[in-house]
Amino acid sequence: MRYEGAIYRPPPEADAYILQCTIGCSYNKCTYCSMYKNVRYRVRQLDELKKDIAMAKAAMGDKVEKVFLSDGDAISLPSEMLLEILAELYAAFPKLTHVSTYAGPQSTLDKTVDEFKQLKKAGLTMTYLGVESGSNDVLKAVRKGVTANEMLTAGQSIVESGIKLVAMVMIGLGGSGEYSHSHARQTAELINQMNPYLLGLLTTVAIDGTTLFRQVQQGDFKLLSPYEVLEEIKILLENLQREGLLIDSTHGSNLLPMKGTLQQVKADVLGHIDNLLLEKNSNLIGKAYLGRF
Ligand SMILES: C[S@@+](CC[C@H](N)C(=O)[O-])C[C@H]1O[C@@H](n2cnc3c(N)ncnc32)[C@H](O)[C@@H]1O
Ligand code: SF4
């Protein structure tokens, strides 16, 4: 197993064997993302991958139950190559039941539903799509490269194929100010239509070296305050409609870790969020009142 550069994987894949199929991200233009910024994108040779799989088989063949295909957007590989990789993995690991990958929206749109169905049949069980926002203004501002409608088509084609879709969205991606509430509301509306298996929440972090970091430093983007984060979460949860939708916000970027169905999460946190927001408002009113004397 030979790895190049930093390796990222979603939290639920912590116990997966990671097969690095590409180096970097084929798109690599999102303003907030530092993951593969200084990495030149390339696809690894199939024979190198087969050697990696053979090494993993020799080291832990009878233990591997999950595999994650990295790097940032392995769904960008040609379908024939993905099919060969899947066949090799299932032949090597007798207990394998789960193979997942990140999927960028552009690469997802480059594949047909039939291609996804073939991949599902060959054992691709889950993909993680960076939906980020349902707002066209926000998607454009962060250079995601697709509109909300195109994002919907990408997500729906994965759902239609039967592969489990994890939709990742970013609290605070519209910044503090005019886009915050519409970002949260429109993101919920997009997720309602997309109907993913699981909604993964992350909170926007400005990472050194990114365009977003420079925008924050220059005063062109204001990150949310903790209260504004709570407000966006409240709007998002209140506008999501499918009570059985699984939600996971245990990623380290988040202020409020939540896990469960929409119904459970709403019951757990909405009351607390309301109390905290009420506390904030009464503090502000108190300060304004005292300020008069
Ligand atoms: C590898 S990408 C996901 C798959 C695919 N490359 C895409 O963007 O659609 C990892 C995800 O991490 C999240 N992420 C990246 N940079 C972030 C940041 N600065 N703050 C919070 N979340 C971030 C985004 O949700 C992003 O979609
Ligand atoms: S968020 Fe995803 S698509 Fe955008 S640059 Fe990062 S890895 Fe690539």
Side-chain angles (χ1 to χ4, degrees):
M1 289 148 285
R2 302 152 289 185
Y3 295 106
E4 201 178 307
I7 301 291
Y8 297 92
R9 48 105 191 111
E13 306 298 333
D15 53 349
Y17 159 55
I18 298 180
L19 178 65
Q20 191 174 25
C21 299
T22 72
I23 309 294
C25 163
S26 64
Y27 179 66
N28 217 11
K29 294 191 190 102
C30 304
T31 61
Y32 51 85
C33 181
S34 69
M35 295 163 104
Y36 311 101
K37 269 287 164 274
N38 303 314
V39 181
R40 189 135 168 251
Y41 177 74
R42 72 181 165 84
V43 175
R44 289 184 69 216
Q45 297 292 320
L46 190 57
D47 60 344
E48 272 182 52
L49 296 177
K50 288 185 176 176
K51 280 183 198 151
D52 278 11
I53 295 170
M55 284 161 79
K57 179 183 167 155
M60 53 188 179
D62 56 344
K63 294 198 189 76
V64 174
E65 295 173 14
K66 292 169 74 175
V67 173
F68 179 70
L69 308 178
S70 73
D71 277 347
D73 185 22
I75 209 70
S76 64
L77 295 178
S79 291
E80 304 74 54
M81 185 171 173
L82 280 168
L83 290 170
E84 275 208 56
I85 293 169
L86 288 164
E88 193 79 9
L89 287 169
Y90 279 93
F93 307 121
K95 292 195 182 146
L96 185 62
T97 54
H98 171 94
V99 181
S100 66
T101 178
Y102 280 135
Q106 302 238 355
S107 328
T108 302
L109 288 170
D110 288 343
K111 289 197 168 24
T112 63
V113 176
D114 277 347
E115 282 177 274
F116 280 114
K117 282 184 179 165
Q118 278 181 32
L119 292 169
K120 150 92 177 139
K121 212 169 148 202
L124 185 68
T125 48
M126 184 177 276
T127 70
Y128 295 79
L129 175 69
V131 172
E132 330 299 16
S133 177
S135 154
N136 278 321
D137 292 321
V138 174
L139 290 173
K140 193 169 170 201
V142 302
R143 296 209 290 268
K144 192 72 199 178
V146 292
T147 62
N149 256 333
E150 289 167 333
M151 188 66 87
L152 177 61
T153 306
Q156 282 177 331
S157 79
I158 294 171
V159 173
E160 197 186 326
S161 73
I163 295 172
K164 283 181 178 167
L165 174 67
V166 178
M168 294 175 291
V169 305
M170 293 173 65
I171 299 292
L173 194 59
S176 167
E178 63 170 323
Y179 292 135
S180 173
H181 289 192
S182 58
H183 160 61
R185 202 184 55 256
Q186 291 171 2
T187 300
E189 286 162 6
L190 181 65
I191 294 299
N192 289 335
Q193 293 182 72
M194 195 179 280
N195 195 17
Y197 165 74
L198 186 143
L199 177 65
L201 298 186
L202 298 100
T203 302
T204 306
V205 181
I207 301 168
D208 201 353
T210 60
T211 303
L212 182 72
F213 186 83
R214 280 196 298 283
Q215 289 170 335
V216 169
Q217 284 197 317
Q218 288 162 3
D220 296 331
F221 186 99
K222 194 161 175 266
L223 292 164
L224 300 191
S225 71
Y227 283 118
E228 288 171 323
V229 167
L230 293 176
E231 265 170 25
E232 275 198 14
I233 293 173
K234 175 176 155 74
I235 295 170
L236 182 78
L237 293 178
E238 286 178 343
N239 283 277
L240 286 169
Q241 283 168 353
R242 209 161 42 88
E243 297 291 305
L245 172 68
L246 294 173
I247 296 190
D248 188 334
S249 76
T250 55
H251 184 269
S253 62
N254 290 304
L255 181 70
L256 190 62
M258 306 179 283
K259 198 168 180 168
T261 64
L262 173 62
Q263 194 175 26
Q264 289 162 342
V265 162
K266 275 162 100 174
D268 283 350
V269 303
L270 277 183
H272 295 301
I273 293 180
D274 282 339
N275 287 340
L276 286 163
L277 293 177
L278 208 64
E279 216 170 87
K280 174 201 120 183
N281 289 335
S282 56
N283 278 343
L284 289 178
I285 293 165
K287 273 188 197 146
Y289 179 74
L290 288 171
R292 294 164 58 208
F293 297 97

